[in-house]
Amino acid sequence: MTARRDIEAITERIRQRSKAGRERYLGRIAEASNQTANRSVLSCGNLAHGFAVCSPSEKLALGADKVPNLGIITSYNDMLSAHQPFETFPALIKEAAREAGGIAQVAGGVPAMCDGVTQGQPGMELSLFSRDVIAMSAAVGLSHNMFDAAVFLGVCDKIVPGLVIAALTFGHLPAVFIPAGPMTTGLPNDEKAKVRQLYAEGKAGRAELLEAESKSYHGPGTCTFYGTANSNQMLMEIMGLHTPGASFVNPGTPLRDALTREATKRALAITALGNAYTPAGRMIDERSIVNGVVGLHATGGSTNHTIHLIAMAAAAGIALTWQDISDLSEAVPLLARVYPNGLADVNHFHAAGGLGFLIRELLDEGVLHEDVQTVWGEGLRPYAVEAKLGVDGSVVREASPRASGDEKVLAPFHKAFQPTGGLKVLAGNLGHAVIKTSAVKPERRIIEAPAKVFDSQQGLNEAFKAGTLTGDFIAVIRFQGPKANGMPELHKLTTVLGILQDRGQRVALVTDGRMSGASGKVPAAIHVTPEAVEDGPIARIHDGDIIRLDADAGTLEVLVEGTEFALRRTAEADLIGNEFGFGRELFAGFRQLVGRADHGASAFGTA
């Protein structure tokens, strides 16, 4: 009951803080709905351009506003495993729309980049900004004002948050998110990680490393570890933007196709032309956002969402803060162990009972808001199910199992892996930061050690190769924030720091950059804000300064006398190398406009 009261109190706090912004937002989408609920506002010339390639019967129906028209926003490309399955989705959606008496058109495409391809490369500096580009690209597609609802085809890291921002910006339209699902299980993630470490130590060759990576990332679908991509799918389901049970069904299966057809028909059913009008901007409210944060904590999800959820909420006029996220962590236990928080992958999680089991456990204990609206209708309880294929090829749903199929992967509420969530916010004289605790052993969550300061991840990796990273230390990697260079993920540090920790050294990371959902066993205080380029305290740390990171107490401190530390000159870095090449010059405006990490690292401002 205490957890339930805490959830309610935090939700009410968010509601009161957001009241003015939320009212303005709801007023805007009400006005948009009045102006755009049908195509009668378009001139004949507008309409002729909009349905020029449609069939005669479709032109007649669209011109007379007789049937709902569904806009498809797709992130398809055939280079990236998570997005390749979307190639066949538009045709399937159009067919399902016709069967339901509607029409569907591809409204536009959005870029979809893969952090796995750009890790450690210059292109990674565009990754976070791509979220806002995706939102704008989707807005361009929907701006034609031809649509009564939209379906969004997206899966991975920045794509889904960007699409959510777009869906909420066009909040007068119903929005259904349609996933492609995870790839089937390949080489276990922990075995892949071992080969990476052997390669970094010179004990394995490039051919062995490539073989291991290829066996892990081997086919269509999202990567199977629980990073940002799969955290996205959890969020879409627990926030009611997926149909129930849709998140973790593999691509290319009859059930996956059946779920896509069903989602299409549901999107058409909730337009203003029907009896169940469900505009996305009204559907997603403070309770939905809190449910998303609860799900993130309960599953040990991606640290990236401490940034994305704030930006997503802001798009609906809701002011979510890191303090809200941190306080919710204290009320929500960790119920899932999926790599890097355990050895299982998302397919094992799904087989053990998946989101249906987890949602039911959280609902029964009152730590999720049940009284929300979803694309499926009223209440979250209908999501406590498992989707299966019926004998006629349609989707049927059964109540989620009462017992977990594997309690080492998915625990019931009263056998939680830890009493608090998988993420925590740190505060102290270095500002604020985020740490993912779910993958870090309890005995490693407190470390006090001298700083080794670098202005890039390359600097630390070179020090490792030179053999100078000896003894216990806390690596400080600065000038990696959104204004400095777009806040790239620093995964090249994961292997090196893991090797040193395995050798018996006590090590940790402090950075104003990101590590994402793949943050692993080394304690990492990330997203430090204010960032170094904004004269944040991280820019005043010297080599040898003692830093104390206490993930249990939620503190991050440099143990230097206060006056001395305040009077230090802030370091400067030559960032000219981050400004050109691989398209980075085109994003100079983003680096100037972007907000702080704890405000969503957005170019669009805050709620």
Side-chain angles (χ1 to χ4, degrees):
M1 289 299 143
T2 300
R4 180 177 300 186
R5 287 195 298 269
D6 290 344
I7 300 293
E8 292 287 352
I10 295 166
T11 305
E12 182 59 25
R13 182 174 80 197
I14 296 169
R15 185 179 291 114
Q16 292 302 318
R17 184 192 309 126
S18 307
K19 187 175 182 181
R22 181 68 174 165
E23 287 178 354
R24 288 193 298 271
Y25 170 78
L26 291 175
R28 289 197 301 270
I29 65 170
E31 183 179 359
S33 180
N34 292 334
Q35 293 176 348
T36 62
N38 57 66
R39 282 168 292 282
S40 62
V41 298
L42 299 179
S43 72
C44 293
N46 296 150
L47 280 168
H49 281 84
F51 58 43
V53 299
C54 292
S55 69
S57 61
E58 288 173 333
K59 290 178 181 179
L60 182 63
L62 288 174
D65 271 331
K66 291 182 178 179
V67 300
N69 189 27
L70 190 60
I72 304 168
I73 300 292
T74 177
S75 63
Y76 163 71
N77 65 58
D78 65 4
M79 182 187 78
L80 303 177
S81 64
H83 309 286
Q84 184 271 344
F86 288 135
E87 179 178 13
T88 60
F89 279 39
L92 194 64
I93 290 167
K94 290 177 182 183
E95 181 182 334
R98 284 193 295 270
E99 291 172 358
I103 297 169
Q105 295 177 295
V106 175
V110 302
M113 68 179 293
C114 177
D115 292 353
V117 176
T118 57
Q119 290 293 347
Q121 304 297 321
M124 174 54 79
E125 294 176 21
L126 308 185
S127 174
L128 180 58
F129 293 147
S130 77
R131 180 195 68 194
D132 293 0
V133 173
I134 288 159
M136 293 188 290
S137 300
V140 170
L142 295 175
S143 69
H144 295 101
N145 199 14
M146 286 283 295
F147 309 107
D148 301 282
V151 292
F152 295 88
L153 311 183
V155 179
C156 277
D157 295 15
K158 314 308 171 294
I159 293 87
V160 165
L163 293 176
V164 170
I165 291 169
L168 293 173
T169 302
F170 285 77
H172 61 285
L173 294 177
V176 177
F177 280 63
I178 302 179
M183 69 177 67
T184 56
T185 299
L187 182 74
N189 287 289
D190 60 321
E191 292 185 28
K192 173 198 67 184
K194 289 176 184 176
V195 178
R196 284 182 177 179
Q197 291 201 184
L198 290 171
Y199 177 76
E201 294 178 284
K203 297 176 181 177
R206 183 176 175 85
E208 295 167 272
L209 177 63
L210 183 58
E211 181 183 14
E213 298 282 2
S214 299
K215 286 181 177 178
S216 181
Y217 310 119
H218 64 90
T222 61
C223 307
T224 59
F225 67 89
Y226 195 55
T228 310
N230 288 314
S231 296
N232 281 339
Q233 305 319 301
M234 177 279 300
L235 285 175
M236 293 303 93
E237 188 151 339
I238 210 166
M239 291 171 65
L241 284 162
H242 278 174
T243 56
S247 293
F248 297 124
V249 174
N250 302 124
T253 61
L255 178 56
R256 177 83 277 159
D257 288 349
L259 285 162
T260 299
R261 289 177 177 276
E262 180 190 65
T264 301
K265 294 176 181 179
R266 185 60 191 169
L268 292 170
I270 59 177
T271 69
L273 296 177
N275 297 319
Y277 180 43
T278 309
R282 287 194 173 276
M283 188 191 92
I284 297 296
D285 63 10
E286 294 86 353
R287 295 166 298 178
S288 309
I289 296 295
V290 168
N291 281 353
V293 178
V294 169
L296 193 69
H297 287 312
T299 56
S302 171
T303 54
N304 275 328
H305 282 298
T306 61
I307 296 175
H308 296 323
L309 275 165
I310 290 174
M312 290 155 62
I318 298 169
L320 180 70
T321 69
W322 274 6
Q323 192 60 54
D324 299 326
I325 295 173
S326 188
D327 290 348
L328 286 165
S329 180
E330 296 302 309
V332 180
L334 179 69
L335 301 185
R337 286 281 190 204
V338 186
Y339 190 87
N341 306 334
L343 297 181
D345 67 18
V346 292
N347 293 312
H348 301 131
F349 168 78
H350 186 64
L355 283 177
F357 177 91
L358 182 128
I359 287 170
R360 193 206 59 242
E361 289 292 300
L362 295 173
L363 283 173
D364 287 351
E365 297 299 326
V367 294
L368 279 175
H369 291 288
E370 187 168 354
D371 58 337
V372 293
Q373 194 171 22
T374 74
V375 299
W376 203 241
E378 295 292 333
L380 193 60
R381 184 66 62 172
Y383 284 73
V385 296
E386 183 176 355
K388 295 184 177 181
L389 194 67
V391 292
D392 62 351
S394 64
V395 181
V396 296
R397 289 177 171 86
E398 300 176 356
S400 62
R402 298 304 305 181
S404 168
D406 187 345
E407 292 189 3
K408 294 179 181 178
V409 176
L410 182 59
F413 192 92
H414 293 291
K415 293 183 181 180
F417 297 113
Q418 64 184 48
T420 56
L423 303 174
K424 195 166 185 111
V425 175
L426 307 175
N429 63 2
L430 289 178
H432 290 83
V434 172
I435 188 168
K436 184 172 183 174
T437 58
S438 51
V440 179
K441 292 182 178 179
E443 63 270 22
R444 295 192 181 278
R445 294 179 185 173
I446 301 173
I447 177 171
E448 186 174 306
K452 290 184 183 289
V453 183
F454 304 91
D455 291 343
S456 70
Q457 61 180 331
Q458 290 81 8
L460 183 139
N461 285 329
E462 289 168 5
F464 173 74
K465 292 175 183 176
T468 60
L469 297 180
T470 57
D472 296 347
F473 69 93
I474 293 181
V476 177
I477 316 294
R478 58 197 183 186
F479 297 102
Q480 305 300 309
K483 281 190 179 295
N485 64 353
M487 208 180 189
E489 293 181 359
L490 306 175
H491 273 299
K492 282 201 168 183
L493 305 177
T494 304
T495 300
V496 167
L497 293 174
I499 290 170
L500 297 175
Q501 182 170 276
D502 289 348
R503 290 176 180 174
Q505 295 173 239
R506 290 185 62 79
V507 296
L509 172 68
V510 173
T511 180
D512 50 9
R514 295 184 295 124
M515 289 287 282
S516 96
S519 302
K521 60 189 179 182
V522 175
I526 59 178
H527 307 175
V528 171
T529 186
E531 62 175 291
V533 82
E534 291 190 303
D535 297 329
I538 192 174
R540 297 200 297 273
I541 299 174
H542 291 173
D543 276 324
D545 286 348
I546 303 300
I547 295 176
R548 180 176 176 83
L549 189 166
D550 187 336
D552 293 332
T555 57
L556 178 64
E557 303 271 350
V558 58
L559 304 184
V560 177
E561 193 276 325
T563 302
E564 177 195 339
F565 189 65
L567 291 175
R568 283 183 181 177
R569 178 177 294 181
T570 56
E572 297 180 358
D574 181 3
L575 299 175
I576 191 68
N578 302 108
E579 295 178 1
F580 299 94
F582 289 85
R584 288 176 289 182
E585 50 268 64
L586 301 177
F587 286 77
F590 281 82
R591 291 191 293 273
Q592 293 171 8
L593 289 172
V594 68
R596 289 167 35 153
D598 58 342
H599 294 165
S602 174
F604 304 143
T606 56

